[in-house]
């Protein structure tokens, strides 16, 4: 969950998930959990859970066999960092009051009268804009270019 205490924090789930996705984008081939785990220094059990979420969301696919592992389902140019973070975190809202229920209504009872909501909304919009403007390819290109 994205939290706003003194600073906004992204969970280890997203940090490791993004590293795994960059690894797959960078290698441009099948990556096994064992190899990604070793190369990125991520617990293989934790990485399995992360990869499972990414697979359920359709960002990675499994290849079976002796040289099996995972690959991206789309070009790294077509996968945004925002998409990855939202899959793993569920939201990019810096505070709970920006979360909505199934009927698209804010969960905070103060929502209609809250004078600070616009601050949090502006932060969320800025974060989303930044995350949505970056792709896996842009990270890989910057790392190698």
């Amino acid at each position: 969950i994205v939290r706003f205490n003194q600073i906004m924090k992204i969970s280890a789930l997203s940090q490791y998930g993004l590293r795994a996705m960059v690894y797959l984008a960078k290698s441009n081939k099948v990556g096994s959990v064992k190899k990604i785990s070793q190369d990125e220094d991520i617990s293989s059990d934790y990485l399995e859970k992360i990869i499972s979420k990414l697979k359920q969301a359709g960002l990675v696919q499994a290849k079976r066999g002796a040289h099996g592992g995972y690959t991206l389902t789309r070009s790294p140019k077509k996968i945004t960092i925002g998409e990855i973070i939202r899959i793993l975190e569920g939201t990019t809202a810096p505070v709970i009051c920006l979360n909505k229920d199934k009927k698209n209504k804010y969960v905070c009872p103060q929502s209609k009268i809250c004078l600070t909501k616009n601050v949090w909304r502006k932060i969320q919009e800025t974060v989303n804009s930044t995350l949505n403007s970056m792709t896996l390819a842009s990270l890989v290109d910057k790392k190698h270019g």
Side-chain angles (χ1 to χ4, degrees), residues 80-130:
T80 68
I81 306 312
E83 182 179 11
I84 296 166
I85 300 298
R86 279 186 295 280
I87 286 166
L88 296 172
E89 296 292 342
T91 182
T92 57
V95 290
I96 193 92
C97 67
L98 291 180
N99 289 334
K100 294 182 179 181
D101 63 17
K102 292 177 183 174
K103 295 178 183 173
N104 206 28
K105 300 217 182 209
Y106 289 106
V107 296
C108 178
Q110 297 294 314
S111 164
K112 289 183 179 175
I113 60 169
C114 181
L115 298 177
T116 65
K117 187 168 70 174
N118 287 336
V119 172
W120 311 127
R121 184 180 293 124
K122 181 74 174 165
I123 290 169
Q124 182 180 23
E125 289 169 358
T126 303
V127 167
N128 282 336
S129 177
T130 299

Side-chain angles (χ1 to χ4, degrees), residues 8-26:
M8 187 174 288
K9 294 182 181 182
I10 302 291
S11 73
L13 183 75
S14 288
Q15 292 175 52
Y16 295 160
L18 186 55
R19 282 176 38 203
M21 292 293 285
V22 168
Y23 182 95
L24 292 173
K26 184 175 62 176

Side-chain angles (χ1 to χ4, degrees), residues 18 21-22 24-25 54 58-60 71-85 87 131-139:
L18 186 55
M21 292 293 285
V22 168
L24 292 173
L54 295 169
L59 290 186
V60 297
T71 60
L72 300 177
T73 58
R74 301 190 314 254
S75 162
K77 292 178 183 176
K78 300 208 184 242
I79 300 173
T80 68
I81 306 312
E83 182 179 11
I84 296 166
I85 300 298
I87 286 166
L131 294 175
N132 292 335
S133 72
M134 300 173 72
T135 65
L136 284 177
S138 68
L139 295 183

